[in-house]
Amino acid sequence: MIQHVRDKLVCRACEAITQPPAPSHPIARGRAAPKLLAHVLFAKYGLHLPLNRQSDVYQRQGIDLDVSTLAEWVGPPAATLMPLVDAMRSHVFAAERIHADGTTVPVLAKGKTRTGRLWTYVRDDRPFGGPDRPAAVFFYSPDRGDEHLAGYAGPMQADAYAGFGKLYQANRKGGPIIEAACWAHGRRIGPQFPDAVLTSSATSTNETYPITLDFEATMSSI
């Protein structure tokens, strides 16, 4: 138990009373300490351990923590961390190029499970000798919306997800995003090419992938 002692001091001349303020807490008038809140948040988002399972774990240790209590502990710390999230978002989308990917995630709903989406945007200039720190930001959306990219325009390496197609249009508000296709995904469709293409006289990568080389030449000049 941590006990905070705040002495009251009285001025003999004017009889004014002063007292040090109470220590700030992530949750106003909450009993949960920062370390406990960090543990709950990491277990939920880092270890993918739902709150109901966390409640069962605490119950086996003789600690009664209801799911509703844990849920109330998640919101305020998330709001407290928003300045850090905004700073990381600004850092990632200020890069000359980003990597993007999205995946589906099951979301618990009343009486059923619905499908949400988790989006990942990465900045990593180390392969190009960039001095800036790498970073990744994650966003959740209940649909296939791309509102997270509203303020970005530049090269983006991603897979062939059809939802990204409108981002590459020249009339996109804020400027088009330059598609940097993924080599791994491009090779997957190789067996689908006609035999005439696969057995053509193109014997080098330069002849087979001219668009890719044009993009690499553009990137090397940035």
Side-chain angles (χ1 to χ4, degrees), residues 6 17 24 33 37 45 58 67 69 95 113 119 131 159 174 195 211:
R6 299 187 295 140
I17 300 176
S24 61
L37 295 175
Y45 297 106
Y58 288 117
V67 176
T69 301
T113 300
W119 305 94
D159 56 18
D195 294 339
I211 298 178

Side-chain angles (χ1 to χ4, degrees), residues 94-119:
E96 294 182 355
R97 64 191 68 85
I98 62 173
H99 307 259
D101 196 12
T103 185
T104 57
V105 290
V107 181
L108 294 178
K110 187 175 182 180
K112 62 179 181 179
T113 300
R114 54 188 176 86
T115 301
R117 285 193 170 264
L118 183 66
W119 305 94

Side-chain angles (χ1 to χ4, degrees), residues 180-204:
C182 176
W183 272 101
H185 289 83
R187 288 170 178 155
R188 291 179 186 176
I189 64 174
Q192 302 176 15
F193 290 156
D195 294 339
V197 175
L198 296 178
T199 59
S200 65
S201 59
T203 57
S204 66

Side-chain angles (χ1 to χ4, degrees), residues 7-19:
D7 295 326
K8 290 184 178 180
L9 303 177
V10 180
C11 178
R12 294 181 179 179
C14 64
E15 298 183 354
I17 300 176
T18 61
Q19 185 180 30

Side-chain angles (χ1 to χ4, degrees), residues 165-177:
K166 59 183 179 181
L167 299 175
Y168 308 137
Q169 297 177 0
N171 59 351
R172 174 181 177 264
K173 184 179 180 180
I177 291 179

Side-chain angles (χ1 to χ4, degrees), residues 4 6 20-35 37 80:
H4 299 278
R6 299 187 295 140
S24 61
H25 297 278
I27 301 178
R29 299 182 180 180
R31 300 179 61 184
K35 292 183 179 180
L37 295 175
T80 302

Side-chain angles (χ1 to χ4, degrees), residues 10-215:
V10 180
C11 178
R12 294 181 179 179
C14 64
E15 298 183 354
I17 300 176
T18 61
Q19 185 180 30
S24 61
H25 297 278
I27 301 178
R29 299 182 180 180
R31 300 179 61 184
K35 292 183 179 180
L36 175 57
L37 295 175
H39 179 76
V40 172
L41 291 175
F42 175 73
K44 176 176 173 59
Y45 297 106
L47 302 179
H48 308 286
L49 192 62
L51 297 181
N52 60 319
R53 295 185 182 178
Q54 293 191 50
S55 179
D56 295 339
V57 172
Y58 288 117
Q59 187 65 44
R60 287 195 293 268
Q61 298 178 1
I63 303 173
D64 186 15
L65 278 178
D66 192 77
V67 176
S68 61
T69 301
L70 294 173
E72 292 176 353
W73 286 358
V74 171
T80 302
L81 293 173
M82 282 308 299
L84 178 59
V85 174
D86 293 338
M88 292 181 64
R89 186 208 314 257
S90 300
H91 176 67
V92 169
F93 290 124
E96 294 182 355
R97 64 191 68 85
I98 62 173
H99 307 259
D101 196 12
T103 185
T104 57
V105 290
V107 181
L108 294 178
K110 187 175 182 180
K112 62 179 181 179
T113 300
R114 54 188 176 86
T115 301
R117 285 193 170 264
L118 183 66
W119 305 94
T120 307
Y121 302 100
V122 179
R123 170 183 185 165
D124 189 358
D125 294 335
R126 290 175 297 179
F128 310 99
D132 296 323
R133 291 181 177 274
V137 289
F138 301 87
F139 298 96
Y140 166 81
S141 64
D143 50 29
R144 298 185 177 186
D146 52 15
E147 61 275 6
H148 313 123
L149 292 168
Y152 177 77
M156 183 180 77
Q157 182 175 356
D159 56 18
Y161 168 55
F164 288 145
K166 59 183 179 181
L167 299 175
Y168 308 137
Q169 297 177 0
N171 59 351
R172 174 181 177 264
K173 184 179 180 180
I177 291 179
I178 302 174
E179 179 183 9
C182 176
W183 272 101
H185 289 83
R187 288 170 178 155
R188 291 179 186 176
I189 64 174
Q192 302 176 15
F193 290 156
D195 294 339
V197 175
L198 296 178
T199 59
S200 65
S201 59
T203 57
S204 66
T205 305
N206 294 7
E207 298 176 4
T208 308
Y209 301 101
I211 298 178
T212 303
L213 294 176
D214 289 345
F215 177 78

